[in-house]
Amino acid sequence: MVERRFGPGDVIMKEGDQAAGFFVITSGKVEVVRGAGGERPEVLNTLGPGEFFGEMALLSGEPRSATIVT
């Protein structure tokens, strides 16, 4: 594991990116957003400490299905 820190409003990964790993949240919150670059972005979920994201694309080999924003 490698610790990474992000500031408010930072994009951690973008919808359509290729997977290179997954993330575990140790503090703070992130939003899972589909269509972040479009006219009507949709917040699918909010995740916090102890939760994780990015595993689906990593296991399936498919591109990222959503954008993650702090």
Side-chain angles (χ1 to χ4, degrees):
M1 278 207 220
V2 175
E3 182 178 356
R4 295 179 64 187
R5 294 180 182 265
F6 300 91
D10 285 351
V11 174
I12 298 174
M13 65 178 65
K14 291 183 181 178
E15 186 174 348
D17 285 352
Q18 285 302 118
F22 78 101
F23 295 77
V24 177
I25 302 167
T26 58
S27 65
K29 293 183 179 181
V30 299
E31 288 186 336
V32 181
V33 183
R34 182 160 295 151
E39 286 184 29
R40 301 185 70 134
E42 178 183 5
V43 177
L44 302 175
N45 202 357
T46 300
L47 305 173
E51 296 184 284
F52 56 91
F53 59 91
E55 78 287 353
M56 290 172 44
L58 185 63
L59 296 173
S60 72
E62 298 292 321
R64 302 285 188 191
S65 60
T67 296
I68 307 295
V69 181
T70 59

PDB file of all heavy atoms in Angstrom, residues 1-7 10 12-13 21-33 45-55 67-70:
ATOM      1  N   MET A   1       0.830  -1.184   0.000  1.00  0.00           N
ATOM      2  CA  MET A   1       0.000   0.000   0.000  1.00  0.00           C
ATOM      3  C   MET A   1       0.873   1.246   0.000  1.00  0.00           C
ATOM      4  O   MET A   1       1.952   1.248   0.572  1.00  0.00           O
ATOM      5  CB  MET A   1      -0.875   0.029   1.245  1.00  0.00           C
ATOM      6  CG  MET A   1      -2.097  -0.777   1.139  1.00  0.00           C
ATOM      7  SD  MET A   1      -3.296  -0.041   2.243  1.00  0.00           S
ATOM      8  CE  MET A   1      -4.016  -1.478   2.889  1.00  0.00           C
ATOM      9  N   VAL A   2       0.334   2.276  -0.615  1.00  0.00           N
ATOM     10  CA  VAL A   2       1.008   3.577  -0.658  1.00  0.00           C
ATOM     11  C   VAL A   2       0.003   4.619  -0.183  1.00  0.00           C
ATOM     12  O   VAL A   2      -1.102   4.704  -0.719  1.00  0.00           O
ATOM     13  CB  VAL A   2       1.467   3.923  -2.093  1.00  0.00           C
ATOM     14  CG1 VAL A   2       2.057   5.312  -2.160  1.00  0.00           C
ATOM     15  CG2 VAL A   2       2.450   2.874  -2.594  1.00  0.00           C
ATOM     16  N   GLU A   3       0.370   5.403   0.823  1.00  0.00           N
ATOM     17  CA  GLU A   3      -0.527   6.450   1.304  1.00  0.00           C
ATOM     18  C   GLU A   3      -0.512   7.626   0.345  1.00  0.00           C
ATOM     19  O   GLU A   3       0.550   8.063  -0.103  1.00  0.00           O
ATOM     20  CB  GLU A   3      -0.093   6.937   2.686  1.00  0.00           C
ATOM     21  CG  GLU A   3      -1.017   7.994   3.242  1.00  0.00           C
ATOM     22  CD  GLU A   3      -0.642   8.453   4.632  1.00  0.00           C
ATOM     23  OE1 GLU A   3       0.314   7.904   5.221  1.00  0.00           O
ATOM     24  OE2 GLU A   3      -1.299   9.365   5.137  1.00  0.00           O
ATOM     25  N   ARG A   4      -1.701   8.109   0.028  1.00  0.00           N
ATOM     26  CA  ARG A   4      -1.836   9.293  -0.832  1.00  0.00           C
ATOM     27  C   ARG A   4      -2.806  10.241  -0.158  1.00  0.00           C
ATOM     28  O   ARG A   4      -3.765   9.815   0.465  1.00  0.00           O
ATOM     29  CB  ARG A   4      -2.359   8.894  -2.209  1.00  0.00           C
ATOM     30  CG  ARG A   4      -1.351   8.013  -2.955  1.00  0.00           C
ATOM     31  CD  ARG A   4      -1.847   7.585  -4.293  1.00  0.00           C
ATOM     32  NE  ARG A   4      -2.017   8.745  -5.166  1.00  0.00           N
ATOM     33  CZ  ARG A   4      -2.578   8.686  -6.365  1.00  0.00           C
ATOM     34  NH1 ARG A   4      -3.025   7.542  -6.818  1.00  0.00           N
ATOM     35  NH2 ARG A   4      -2.705   9.748  -7.102  1.00  0.00           N
ATOM     36  N   ARG A   5      -2.545  11.525  -0.296  1.00  0.00           N
ATOM     37  CA  ARG A   5      -3.415  12.539   0.301  1.00  0.00           C
ATOM     38  C   ARG A   5      -3.982  13.422  -0.805  1.00  0.00           C
ATOM     39  O   ARG A   5      -3.283  13.741  -1.760  1.00  0.00           O
ATOM     40  CB  ARG A   5      -2.642  13.385   1.300  1.00  0.00           C
ATOM     41  CG  ARG A   5      -2.190  12.582   2.498  1.00  0.00           C
ATOM     42  CD  ARG A   5      -1.428  13.462   3.479  1.00  0.00           C
ATOM     43  NE  ARG A   5      -0.964  12.682   4.579  1.00  0.00           N
ATOM     44  CZ  ARG A   5      -1.607  12.545   5.736  1.00  0.00           C
ATOM     45  NH1 ARG A   5      -2.762  13.147   5.926  1.00  0.00           N
ATOM     46  NH2 ARG A   5      -1.112  11.803   6.704  1.00  0.00           N
ATOM     47  N   PHE A   6      -5.231  13.810  -0.635  1.00  0.00           N
ATOM     48  CA  PHE A   6      -5.917  14.636  -1.621  1.00  0.00           C
ATOM     49  C   PHE A   6      -6.587  15.789  -0.904  1.00  0.00           C
ATOM     50  O   PHE A   6      -7.021  15.656   0.246  1.00  0.00           O
ATOM     51  CB  PHE A   6      -6.967  13.812  -2.372  1.00  0.00           C
ATOM     52  CG  PHE A   6      -6.403  12.648  -3.122  1.00  0.00           C
ATOM     53  CD1 PHE A   6      -6.305  11.405  -2.546  1.00  0.00           C
ATOM     54  CD2 PHE A   6      -5.948  12.813  -4.423  1.00  0.00           C
ATOM     55  CE1 PHE A   6      -5.777  10.319  -3.237  1.00  0.00           C
ATOM     56  CE2 PHE A   6      -5.418  11.742  -5.130  1.00  0.00           C
ATOM     57  CZ  PHE A   6      -5.335  10.500  -4.534  1.00  0.00           C
ATOM     58  N   GLY A   7      -6.709  16.914  -1.590  1.00  0.00           N
ATOM     59  CA  GLY A   7      -7.386  18.076  -1.038  1.00  0.00           C
ATOM     60  C   GLY A   7      -8.836  18.113  -1.473  1.00  0.00           C
ATOM     61  O   GLY A   7      -9.262  17.349  -2.337  1.00  0.00           O
ATOM     62  N   ASP A  10     -10.454  17.488  -5.226  1.00  0.00           N
ATOM     63  CA  ASP A  10      -9.511  16.771  -6.098  1.00  0.00           C
ATOM     64  C   ASP A  10     -10.194  15.581  -6.770  1.00  0.00           C
ATOM     65  O   ASP A  10     -11.004  14.892  -6.154  1.00  0.00           O
ATOM     66  CB  ASP A  10      -8.309  16.247  -5.318  1.00  0.00           C
ATOM     67  CG  ASP A  10      -7.307  17.316  -4.947  1.00  0.00           C
ATOM     68  OD1 ASP A  10      -7.443  18.457  -5.433  1.00  0.00           O
ATOM     69  OD2 ASP A  10      -6.389  17.011  -4.167  1.00  0.00           O
ATOM     70  N   ILE A  12      -9.712  11.947  -7.966  1.00  0.00           N
ATOM     71  CA  ILE A  12      -8.802  10.828  -7.705  1.00  0.00           C
ATOM     72  C   ILE A  12      -8.690   9.940  -8.928  1.00  0.00           C
ATOM     73  O   ILE A  12      -7.605   9.480  -9.272  1.00  0.00           O
ATOM     74  CB  ILE A  12      -9.273  10.031  -6.477  1.00  0.00           C
ATOM     75  CG1 ILE A  12      -9.240  10.942  -5.247  1.00  0.00           C
ATOM     76  CG2 ILE A  12      -8.408   8.799  -6.270  1.00  0.00           C
ATOM     77  CD1 ILE A  12      -9.822  10.319  -4.005  1.00  0.00           C
ATOM     78  N   MET A  13      -9.803   9.680  -9.588  1.00  0.00           N
ATOM     79  CA  MET A  13      -9.808   8.911 -10.829  1.00  0.00           C
ATOM     80  C   MET A  13     -10.972   9.386 -11.673  1.00  0.00           C
ATOM     81  O   MET A  13     -11.958   9.890 -11.147  1.00  0.00           O
ATOM     82  CB  MET A  13      -9.887   7.404 -10.571  1.00  0.00           C
ATOM     83  CG  MET A  13     -11.173   6.954  -9.937  1.00  0.00           C
ATOM     84  SD  MET A  13     -11.311   5.164  -9.671  1.00  0.00           S
ATOM     85  CE  MET A  13     -10.039   4.879  -8.497  1.00  0.00           C
ATOM     86  N   GLY A  21      -5.183   0.133  -9.746  1.00  0.00           N
ATOM     87  CA  GLY A  21      -5.216  -0.191  -8.324  1.00  0.00           C
ATOM     88  C   GLY A  21      -6.557   0.182  -7.745  1.00  0.00           C
ATOM     89  O   GLY A  21      -7.455   0.622  -8.456  1.00  0.00           O
ATOM     90  N   PHE A  22      -6.685  -0.011  -6.435  1.00  0.00           N
ATOM     91  CA  PHE A  22      -7.900   0.433  -5.768  1.00  0.00           C
ATOM     92  C   PHE A  22      -7.517   1.180  -4.499  1.00  0.00           C
ATOM     93  O   PHE A  22      -6.369   1.160  -4.076  1.00  0.00           O
ATOM     94  CB  PHE A  22      -8.867  -0.722  -5.516  1.00  0.00           C
ATOM     95  CG  PHE A  22      -8.536  -1.611  -4.355  1.00  0.00           C
ATOM     96  CD1 PHE A  22      -9.192  -1.467  -3.147  1.00  0.00           C
ATOM     97  CD2 PHE A  22      -7.591  -2.605  -4.486  1.00  0.00           C
ATOM     98  CE1 PHE A  22      -8.897  -2.292  -2.079  1.00  0.00           C
ATOM     99  CE2 PHE A  22      -7.292  -3.438  -3.431  1.00  0.00           C
ATOM    100  CZ  PHE A  22      -7.951  -3.278  -2.216  1.00  0.00           C
ATOM    101  N   PHE A  23      -8.477   1.858  -3.913  1.00  0.00           N
ATOM    102  CA  PHE A  23      -8.221   2.773  -2.812  1.00  0.00           C
ATOM    103  C   PHE A  23      -9.040   2.395  -1.585  1.00  0.00           C
ATOM    104  O   PHE A  23     -10.187   1.973  -1.704  1.00  0.00           O
ATOM    105  CB  PHE A  23      -8.605   4.198  -3.225  1.00  0.00           C
ATOM    106  CG  PHE A  23      -7.763   4.760  -4.335  1.00  0.00           C
ATOM    107  CD1 PHE A  23      -7.980   4.373  -5.650  1.00  0.00           C
ATOM    108  CD2 PHE A  23      -6.753   5.671  -4.069  1.00  0.00           C
ATOM    109  CE1 PHE A  23      -7.212   4.890  -6.677  1.00  0.00           C
ATOM    110  CE2 PHE A  23      -5.986   6.190  -5.088  1.00  0.00           C
ATOM    111  CZ  PHE A  23      -6.209   5.792  -6.397  1.00  0.00           C
ATOM    112  N   VAL A  24      -8.448   2.601  -0.405  1.00  0.00           N
ATOM    113  CA  VAL A  24      -9.133   2.449   0.872  1.00  0.00           C
ATOM    114  C   VAL A  24      -9.108   3.817   1.542  1.00  0.00           C
ATOM    115  O   VAL A  24      -8.053   4.437   1.654  1.00  0.00           O
ATOM    116  CB  VAL A  24      -8.432   1.409   1.772  1.00  0.00           C
ATOM    117  CG1 VAL A  24      -9.128   1.313   3.123  1.00  0.00           C
ATOM    118  CG2 VAL A  24      -8.376   0.047   1.095  1.00  0.00           C
ATOM    119  N   ILE A  25     -10.250   4.297   1.977  1.00  0.00           N
ATOM    120  CA  ILE A  25     -10.354   5.620   2.593  1.00  0.00           C
ATOM    121  C   ILE A  25     -10.022   5.511   4.080  1.00  0.00           C
ATOM    122  O   ILE A  25     -10.645   4.724   4.803  1.00  0.00           O
ATOM    123  CB  ILE A  25     -11.773   6.188   2.421  1.00  0.00           C
ATOM    124  CG1 ILE A  25     -12.132   6.257   0.937  1.00  0.00           C
ATOM    125  CG2 ILE A  25     -11.888   7.567   3.079  1.00  0.00           C
ATOM    126  CD1 ILE A  25     -13.600   6.506   0.671  1.00  0.00           C
ATOM    127  N   THR A  26      -9.040   6.297   4.531  1.00  0.00           N
ATOM    128  CA  THR A  26      -8.684   6.300   5.949  1.00  0.00           C
ATOM    129  C   THR A  26      -9.284   7.497   6.682  1.00  0.00           C
ATOM    130  O   THR A  26      -9.519   7.432   7.879  1.00  0.00           O
ATOM    131  CB  THR A  26      -7.153   6.297   6.140  1.00  0.00           C
ATOM    132  OG1 THR A  26      -6.601   7.432   5.485  1.00  0.00           O
ATOM    133  CG2 THR A  26      -6.540   5.019   5.589  1.00  0.00           C
ATOM    134  N   SER A  27      -9.521   8.594   5.962  1.00  0.00           N
ATOM    135  CA  SER A  27     -10.190   9.751   6.563  1.00  0.00           C
ATOM    136  C   SER A  27     -10.813  10.587   5.455  1.00  0.00           C
ATOM    137  O   SER A  27     -10.395  10.513   4.303  1.00  0.00           O
ATOM    138  CB  SER A  27      -9.211  10.602   7.373  1.00  0.00           C
ATOM    139  OG  SER A  27      -8.232  11.178   6.540  1.00  0.00           O
ATOM    140  N   GLY A  28     -11.823  11.362   5.802  1.00  0.00           N
ATOM    141  CA  GLY A  28     -12.511  12.196   4.823  1.00  0.00           C
ATOM    142  C   GLY A  28     -13.573  11.429   4.075  1.00  0.00           C
ATOM    143  O   GLY A  28     -13.937  10.315   4.445  1.00  0.00           O
ATOM    144  N   LYS A  29     -14.086  12.059   3.015  1.00  0.00           N
ATOM    145  CA  LYS A  29     -15.144  11.457   2.208  1.00  0.00           C
ATOM    146  C   LYS A  29     -14.880  11.702   0.730  1.00  0.00           C
ATOM    147  O   LYS A  29     -14.206  12.657   0.367  1.00  0.00           O
ATOM    148  CB  LYS A  29     -16.499  12.067   2.565  1.00  0.00           C
ATOM    149  CG  LYS A  29     -16.972  11.731   3.951  1.00  0.00           C
ATOM    150  CD  LYS A  29     -18.329  12.307   4.205  1.00  0.00           C
ATOM    151  CE  LYS A  29     -18.788  11.936   5.603  1.00  0.00           C
ATOM    152  NZ  LYS A  29     -20.113  12.463   5.897  1.00  0.00           N
ATOM    153  N   VAL A  30     -15.416  10.827  -0.101  1.00  0.00           N
ATOM    154  CA  VAL A  30     -15.360  11.005  -1.551  1.00  0.00           C
ATOM    155  C   VAL A  30     -16.760  10.814  -2.123  1.00  0.00           C
ATOM    156  O   VAL A  30     -17.598  10.143  -1.517  1.00  0.00           O
ATOM    157  CB  VAL A  30     -14.377  10.017  -2.238  1.00  0.00           C
ATOM    158  CG1 VAL A  30     -12.969  10.210  -1.735  1.00  0.00           C
ATOM    159  CG2 VAL A  30     -14.817   8.577  -2.083  1.00  0.00           C
ATOM    160  N   GLU A  31     -16.997  11.411  -3.280  1.00  0.00           N
ATOM    161  CA  GLU A  31     -18.239  11.199  -4.015  1.00  0.00           C
ATOM    162  C   GLU A  31     -17.947  10.374  -5.252  1.00  0.00           C
ATOM    163  O   GLU A  31     -16.942  10.600  -5.931  1.00  0.00           O
ATOM    164  CB  GLU A  31     -18.866  12.530  -4.438  1.00  0.00           C
ATOM    165  CG  GLU A  31     -19.464  13.303  -3.309  1.00  0.00           C
ATOM    166  CD  GLU A  31     -20.211  14.537  -3.781  1.00  0.00           C
ATOM    167  OE1 GLU A  31     -19.913  15.062  -4.878  1.00  0.00           O
ATOM    168  OE2 GLU A  31     -21.105  14.979  -3.042  1.00  0.00           O
ATOM    169  N   VAL A  32     -18.827   9.433  -5.541  1.00  0.00           N
ATOM    170  CA  VAL A  32     -18.765   8.612  -6.744  1.00  0.00           C
ATOM    171  C   VAL A  32     -19.724   9.262  -7.733  1.00  0.00           C
ATOM    172  O   VAL A  32     -20.931   9.321  -7.472  1.00  0.00           O
ATOM    173  CB  VAL A  32     -19.183   7.152  -6.446  1.00  0.00           C
ATOM    174  CG1 VAL A  32     -19.094   6.304  -7.699  1.00  0.00           C
ATOM    175  CG2 VAL A  32     -18.343   6.573  -5.311  1.00  0.00           C
ATOM    176  N   VAL A  33     -19.197   9.769  -8.858  1.00  0.00           N
ATOM    177  CA  VAL A  33     -19.993  10.561  -9.788  1.00  0.00           C
ATOM    178  C   VAL A  33     -19.939   9.959 -11.190  1.00  0.00           C
ATOM    179  O   VAL A  33     -18.856   9.692 -11.712  1.00  0.00           O
ATOM    180  CB  VAL A  33     -19.469  12.019  -9.852  1.00  0.00           C
ATOM    181  CG1 VAL A  33     -20.337  12.863 -10.769  1.00  0.00           C
ATOM    182  CG2 VAL A  33     -19.389  12.629  -8.459  1.00  0.00           C
ATOM    183  N   ASN A  45     -22.939   7.815  -5.003  1.00  0.00           N
ATOM    184  CA  ASN A  45     -22.691   7.391  -3.626  1.00  0.00           C
ATOM    185  C   ASN A  45     -21.695   8.337  -2.979  1.00  0.00           C
ATOM    186  O   ASN A  45     -20.949   9.035  -3.677  1.00  0.00           O
ATOM    187  CB  ASN A  45     -22.139   5.962  -3.615  1.00  0.00           C
ATOM    188  CG  ASN A  45     -22.341   5.248  -2.298  1.00  0.00           C
ATOM    189  OD1 ASN A  45     -22.846   5.810  -1.335  1.00  0.00           O
ATOM    190  ND2 ASN A  45     -21.950   3.982  -2.262  1.00  0.00           N
ATOM    191  N   THR A  46     -21.686   8.350  -1.665  1.00  0.00           N
ATOM    192  CA  THR A  46     -20.662   9.040  -0.885  1.00  0.00           C
ATOM    193  C   THR A  46     -20.031   7.995   0.019  1.00  0.00           C
ATOM    194  O   THR A  46     -20.743   7.243   0.691  1.00  0.00           O
ATOM    195  CB  THR A  46     -21.278  10.181  -0.044  1.00  0.00           C
ATOM    196  OG1 THR A  46     -21.900  11.118  -0.926  1.00  0.00           O
ATOM    197  CG2 THR A  46     -20.204  10.899   0.764  1.00  0.00           C
ATOM    198  N   LEU A  47     -18.701   7.933   0.011  1.00  0.00           N
ATOM    199  CA  LEU A  47     -17.966   6.930   0.787  1.00  0.00           C
ATOM    200  C   LEU A  47     -17.096   7.622   1.823  1.00  0.00           C
ATOM    201  O   LEU A  47     -16.599   8.726   1.593  1.00  0.00           O
ATOM    202  CB  LEU A  47     -17.088   6.095  -0.136  1.00  0.00           C
ATOM    203  CG  LEU A  47     -17.781   5.399  -1.305  1.00  0.00           C
ATOM    204  CD1 LEU A  47     -16.743   4.749  -2.219  1.00  0.00           C
ATOM    205  CD2 LEU A  47     -18.767   4.372  -0.815  1.00  0.00           C
ATOM    206  N   GLY A  48     -16.861   6.942   2.960  1.00  0.00           N
ATOM    207  CA  GLY A  48     -16.055   7.509   4.030  1.00  0.00           C
ATOM    208  C   GLY A  48     -15.056   6.510   4.579  1.00  0.00           C
ATOM    209  O   GLY A  48     -14.816   5.450   3.979  1.00  0.00           O
ATOM    210  N   PRO A  49     -14.463   6.837   5.734  1.00  0.00           N
ATOM    211  CA  PRO A  49     -13.423   5.996   6.328  1.00  0.00           C
ATOM    212  C   PRO A  49     -13.811   4.525   6.445  1.00  0.00           C
ATOM    213  O   PRO A  49     -14.929   4.194   6.830  1.00  0.00           O
ATOM    214  CB  PRO A  49     -13.216   6.631   7.712  1.00  0.00           C
ATOM    215  CG  PRO A  49     -13.607   8.055   7.518  1.00  0.00           C
ATOM    216  CD  PRO A  49     -14.763   8.008   6.546  1.00  0.00           C
ATOM    217  N   GLY A  50     -12.876   3.659   6.056  1.00  0.00           N
ATOM    218  CA  GLY A  50     -13.087   2.221   6.102  1.00  0.00           C
ATOM    219  C   GLY A  50     -13.683   1.652   4.833  1.00  0.00           C
ATOM    220  O   GLY A  50     -13.673   0.440   4.634  1.00  0.00           O
ATOM    221  N   GLU A  51     -14.194   2.513   3.959  1.00  0.00           N
ATOM    222  CA  GLU A  51     -14.766   2.039   2.701  1.00  0.00           C
ATOM    223  C   GLU A  51     -13.702   2.080   1.604  1.00  0.00           C
ATOM    224  O   GLU A  51     -12.652   2.696   1.759  1.00  0.00           O
ATOM    225  CB  GLU A  51     -15.985   2.875   2.334  1.00  0.00           C
ATOM    226  CG  GLU A  51     -17.114   2.720   3.360  1.00  0.00           C
ATOM    227  CD  GLU A  51     -18.354   3.461   2.986  1.00  0.00           C
ATOM    228  OE1 GLU A  51     -18.357   4.704   3.135  1.00  0.00           O
ATOM    229  OE2 GLU A  51     -19.319   2.797   2.546  1.00  0.00           O
ATOM    230  N   PHE A  52     -13.977   1.434   0.495  1.00  0.00           N
ATOM    231  CA  PHE A  52     -13.002   1.346  -0.590  1.00  0.00           C
ATOM    232  C   PHE A  52     -13.692   1.521  -1.929  1.00  0.00           C
ATOM    233  O   PHE A  52     -14.909   1.412  -2.032  1.00  0.00           O
ATOM    234  CB  PHE A  52     -12.240   0.011  -0.534  1.00  0.00           C
ATOM    235  CG  PHE A  52     -13.134  -1.194  -0.560  1.00  0.00           C
ATOM    236  CD1 PHE A  52     -13.481  -1.777  -1.765  1.00  0.00           C
ATOM    237  CD2 PHE A  52     -13.625  -1.743   0.615  1.00  0.00           C
ATOM    238  CE1 PHE A  52     -14.306  -2.893  -1.802  1.00  0.00           C
ATOM    239  CE2 PHE A  52     -14.457  -2.855   0.597  1.00  0.00           C
ATOM    240  CZ  PHE A  52     -14.793  -3.433  -0.616  1.00  0.00           C
ATOM    241  N   PHE A  53     -12.882   1.784  -2.963  1.00  0.00           N
ATOM    242  CA  PHE A  53     -13.413   1.950  -4.324  1.00  0.00           C
ATOM    243  C   PHE A  53     -12.329   1.618  -5.326  1.00  0.00           C
ATOM    244  O   PHE A  53     -11.150   1.563  -4.986  1.00  0.00           O
ATOM    245  CB  PHE A  53     -13.939   3.374  -4.547  1.00  0.00           C
ATOM    246  CG  PHE A  53     -12.904   4.444  -4.353  1.00  0.00           C
ATOM    247  CD1 PHE A  53     -12.137   4.891  -5.411  1.00  0.00           C
ATOM    248  CD2 PHE A  53     -12.701   5.005  -3.105  1.00  0.00           C
ATOM    249  CE1 PHE A  53     -11.183   5.876  -5.231  1.00  0.00           C
ATOM    250  CE2 PHE A  53     -11.755   5.999  -2.912  1.00  0.00           C
ATOM    251  CZ  PHE A  53     -10.992   6.437  -3.976  1.00  0.00           C
ATOM    252  N   GLY A  54     -12.739   1.376  -6.567  1.00  0.00           N
ATOM    253  CA  GLY A  54     -11.797   1.098  -7.646  1.00  0.00           C
ATOM    254  C   GLY A  54     -11.569  -0.367  -7.924  1.00  0.00           C
ATOM    255  O   GLY A  54     -10.879  -0.724  -8.874  1.00  0.00           O
ATOM    256  N   GLU A  55     -12.174  -1.233  -7.122  1.00  0.00           N
ATOM    257  CA  GLU A  55     -11.929  -2.670  -7.275  1.00  0.00           C
ATOM    258  C   GLU A  55     -12.622  -3.263  -8.489  1.00  0.00           C
ATOM    259  O   GLU A  55     -12.123  -4.211  -9.088  1.00  0.00           O
ATOM    260  CB  GLU A  55     -12.347  -3.418  -6.000  1.00  0.00           C
ATOM    261  CG  GLU A  55     -13.828  -3.661  -5.813  1.00  0.00           C
ATOM    262  CD  GLU A  55     -14.642  -2.431  -5.451  1.00  0.00           C
ATOM    263  OE1 GLU A  55     -14.079  -1.344  -5.202  1.00  0.00           O
ATOM    264  OE2 GLU A  55     -15.871  -2.557  -5.421  1.00  0.00           O
ATOM    265  N   THR A  67     -16.323   8.661 -11.835  1.00  0.00           N
ATOM    266  CA  THR A  67     -15.283   9.581 -11.378  1.00  0.00           C
ATOM    267  C   THR A  67     -15.383   9.653  -9.866  1.00  0.00           C
ATOM    268  O   THR A  67     -16.475   9.658  -9.304  1.00  0.00           O
ATOM    269  CB  THR A  67     -15.503  10.976 -12.003  1.00  0.00           C
ATOM    270  OG1 THR A  67     -15.342  10.858 -13.422  1.00  0.00           O
ATOM    271  CG2 THR A  67     -14.499  11.991 -11.476  1.00  0.00           C
ATOM    272  N   ILE A  68     -14.218   9.725  -9.199  1.00  0.00           N
ATOM    273  CA  ILE A  68     -14.181   9.842  -7.735  1.00  0.00           C
ATOM    274  C   ILE A  68     -13.600  11.210  -7.387  1.00  0.00           C
ATOM    275  O   ILE A  68     -12.492  11.544  -7.814  1.00  0.00           O
ATOM    276  CB  ILE A  68     -13.317   8.732  -7.096  1.00  0.00           C
ATOM    277  CG1 ILE A  68     -13.749   7.352  -7.566  1.00  0.00           C
ATOM    278  CG2 ILE A  68     -13.313   8.858  -5.585  1.00  0.00           C
ATOM    279  CD1 ILE A  68     -15.142   6.935  -7.135  1.00  0.00           C
ATOM    280  N   VAL A  69     -14.364  11.977  -6.604  1.00  0.00           N
ATOM    281  CA  VAL A  69     -13.975  13.352  -6.244  1.00  0.00           C
ATOM    282  C   VAL A  69     -13.989  13.479  -4.716  1.00  0.00           C
ATOM    283  O   VAL A  69     -14.947  13.034  -4.065  1.00  0.00           O
ATOM    284  CB  VAL A  69     -14.951  14.374  -6.843  1.00  0.00           C
ATOM    285  CG1 VAL A  69     -14.543  15.794  -6.503  1.00  0.00           C
ATOM    286  CG2 VAL A  69     -15.059  14.188  -8.344  1.00  0.00           C
ATOM    287  N   THR A  70     -12.951  14.130  -4.174  1.00  0.00           N
ATOM    288  CA  THR A  70     -12.935  14.362  -2.720  1.00  0.00           C
ATOM    289  C   THR A  70     -13.883  15.466  -2.345  1.00  0.00           C
ATOM    290  O   THR A  70     -14.227  16.297  -3.164  1.00  0.00           O
ATOM    291  CB  THR A  70     -11.527  14.733  -2.231  1.00  0.00           C
ATOM    292  OG1 THR A  70     -11.092  15.902  -2.916  1.00  0.00           O
ATOM    293  CG2 THR A  70     -10.550  13.614  -2.457  1.00  0.00           C
TER     294      THR A  70
END
